[in-house]
Amino acid sequence: MAGLLPIAAARPLADSPLVVSYGAGVDSTAMLVGLHRRGIRPDLIVFSDTGAEKPETYAALDAADRWLEAVGFPTVTRTRYNVVEARYTTLEGNCLQNDGLPSLAYGHHSCSLKWKIQSIDDHVWGVRGWQPALDALHAGRQVVRAIGYDDGKADRRRFGKVEKLEKAEAAKGEWSPWHNWYPLQAWGWKRADCLEAIRSETQLGDYLEAVGLAGRAPVKSACFFCPATKPHELLELARDHPELALRAVVMEFRAETGKHGLKTLNGLGLGREEGARKGSRNFSWRRLLLAEGLLAADWRERAEALDLLPPRIIWDAYAASCARLRDRIEAAKLAGDVELSARLKIEKRDTLGPDWAATDRPVKCKEAARERRAAQKAWRDAVKAAKLINAAKLSRSIAA
């Protein structure tokens, strides 16, 4: 196994801070093991918490912290997207309030951009900021961000897409404060190598086993309602955590019957289900779990008892009003009444489910919004200044 040899692989930009983007899964945990074996100490290890990880992931974070402390690494800094003005504080709440699904179900990636990437950016460059990164930025230096893409085919494809975007931005003269580094690919570590590295790190394996992780390795890190969940993983979730599976089913049901409805989607799961209508995407988690006997026929009553859904008569009345509103929007479109259609869309956007309508907004949201805008302006100004510093360095280099 190439990855376990005691080779001294140099890290890029040795004078810049090193931030590990930690997902608490196999790849990013193996990356920490590899860094430790090479004597490369991160300055910051950050985990973006959507508020919807599986219990095993939170347990793995606790185990990782114990090992990191034992080897002299900084423990994991947990961040969460700083919601400025909304009734929710988690990605699950975001979806429930909007009667929608995670953006991946619709073929987009804004859930990870907002709740993962933006969360880290806010912590490092945002309202409060991380001083070593801010110091580097003001000196015109990038911050190294270690990302746990392994050397397998799937992650190589992901890396290729990212690399293409980075080259396109560079060609346009863009300058990023991040210097992305992919240690596992530099070391040639594939998935099996990552698992071997973790399991051969005895103390880490002991900590993982102590928090109940069989196999002495982390589980796949993802939200429990992630649309990328494969059918067999969904069935496993329903067996191990039926309450989480029920919450995901409620999310799917609210999206189907709420203000937006599901036009081309069947549900949460990526991939076209057997017998689906032509042009549709995705499969229904609810139908699959019912067919497999892993969701009770009275699931709505159970959801109501857990306050996941309003009483049937209240929700059904709300769902009927949403359906009428959608029909009015379609009728306005067909009639060519652009003004009415736009007005009805705003009405639909501002419509809230009966349970969310009774929820108070967070306090000081306007103050938080002002703080964020000021921080973003300061960050943009600092990036522009750093870009000029680097342009001047390049000019002097060419002149020399």
Side-chain angles (χ1 to χ4, degrees):
M1 174 184 172
L4 291 185
L5 295 176
I7 55 176
R11 50 152 287 191
L13 307 182
D15 293 333
S16 292
L18 172 60
V19 176
V20 168
S21 183
Y22 186 55
V26 169
D27 287 354
S28 58
T29 301
M31 178 170 63
L32 289 174
V33 172
L35 291 174
H36 169 56
R37 291 181 179 177
R38 287 161 174 75
I40 302 173
R41 185 183 187 278
D43 299 293
L44 177 69
I45 302 171
V46 63
F47 172 80
S48 294
D49 184 3
T50 64
E53 296 284 348
K54 301 182 190 75
E56 292 87 349
T57 298
Y58 291 117
L61 280 166
D62 293 338
D65 271 342
R66 293 183 65 188
W67 178 77
L68 290 166
E69 192 171 13
V71 300
F73 274 18
T75 53
V76 179
T77 297
R78 306 186 194 197
T79 69
R80 183 173 293 185
Y81 176 69
N82 180 26
V83 179
V84 171
E85 191 170 2
R87 290 171 168 84
Y88 56 81
T89 57
T90 66
L91 175 53
E92 181 184 14
N94 191 172
C95 295
L96 293 176
Q97 179 185 310
N98 294 325
D99 291 346
L101 302 174
S103 66
L104 187 60
Y106 304 98
H108 308 298
H109 296 275
S110 64
C111 51
S112 59
L113 289 172
K114 175 178 176 179
W115 289 92
K116 288 288 186 180
I117 297 173
Q118 186 63 51
S119 170
I120 293 177
D121 283 352
D122 280 351
H123 178 80
V124 175
W125 313 108
V127 175
R128 290 161 187 84
W130 181 57
Q131 199 58 49
L134 298 177
D135 291 344
L137 182 61
H138 288 121
R141 291 185 287 115
Q142 290 177 303
V143 173
V144 180
R145 175 168 54 186
I147 299 173
Y149 284 9
D150 67 35
D151 204 35
K153 290 183 180 179
D155 276 0
R156 273 289 176 187
R157 284 196 297 271
R158 291 170 70 193
F159 169 73
K161 292 177 181 178
V162 173
E163 187 179 38
K164 185 177 179 180
L165 288 173
E166 289 176 348
K167 286 181 178 178
E169 288 180 355
K172 292 188 295 184
E174 298 294 331
W175 186 86
S176 171
W178 290 115
H179 176 95
N180 291 331
W181 178 40
Y182 303 87
L184 297 176
Q185 295 188 356
W187 306 334
W189 285 21
K190 294 181 171 59
R191 183 75 169 187
D193 302 322
C194 292
L195 283 167
E196 185 180 341
I198 294 169
R199 288 169 179 159
S200 63
E201 190 69 28
T202 307
Q203 192 175 29
L204 175 58
D206 290 345
Y207 291 144
L208 290 167
E209 191 172 47
V211 296
L213 291 173
R216 300 167 68 86
V219 300
K220 180 181 178 181
S221 174
C223 294
F224 66 84
F225 48 79
C226 180
T229 302
K230 296 178 175 60
H232 75 272
E233 293 171 334
L234 171 57
L235 301 183
E236 185 178 327
L237 174 73
R239 294 188 189 100
D240 295 343
H241 303 292
E243 73 287 353
L244 296 184
L246 178 59
R247 282 162 60 182
V249 165
V250 166
M251 178 187 294
E252 182 182 77
F253 174 74
R254 294 177 72 121
E256 181 182 357
T257 58
K259 60 183 178 182
H260 301 296
L262 296 179
K263 295 180 180 178
T264 60
L265 301 182
N266 290 299
L268 260 173
L270 290 179
R272 191 165 178 261
E273 66 183 359
E274 187 177 350
R277 60 187 181 276
K278 187 176 181 182
S280 65
R281 302 195 308 273
N282 303 40
F283 65 90
S284 167
W285 281 28
R286 182 175 75 253
R287 285 197 286 271
L288 176 59
L289 292 177
L290 284 170
E292 294 292 331
L294 291 171
L295 181 67
D298 64 345
W299 65 269
R300 280 194 68 172
E301 287 72 17
R302 298 187 182 197
E304 289 172 16
L306 294 170
D307 288 330
L308 299 176
L309 269 176
R312 183 182 293 263
I313 188 171
I314 295 176
W315 181 264
D316 287 352
Y318 168 71
S321 70
C322 288
R324 288 193 295 271
L325 181 56
R326 292 197 301 272
D327 289 343
R328 289 175 65 197
I329 292 172
E330 288 302 316
K333 285 182 181 178
L334 290 174
D337 194 334
V338 177
E339 183 180 344
L340 176 59
S341 175
R343 191 164 66 246
L344 291 173
K345 284 181 180 179
I346 293 172
E347 181 182 337
K348 183 179 76 167
R349 182 198 65 192
D350 294 339
T351 297
L352 286 173
D355 44 353
W356 282 93
T359 306
D360 292 332
R361 288 178 181 269
V363 296
K364 298 183 180 177
C365 55
K366 290 184 179 178
E367 180 183 335
R370 282 195 297 271
E371 283 185 346
R372 170 170 284 185
R373 285 194 294 270
Q376 288 174 338
K377 183 181 184 305
W379 180 78
R380 287 193 297 269
D381 291 345
V383 169
K384 288 179 183 176
K387 186 177 177 181
L388 291 173
I389 291 172
N390 279 273
K393 287 180 181 177
L394 180 62
S395 297
R396 287 196 296 271
S397 174
I398 293 172

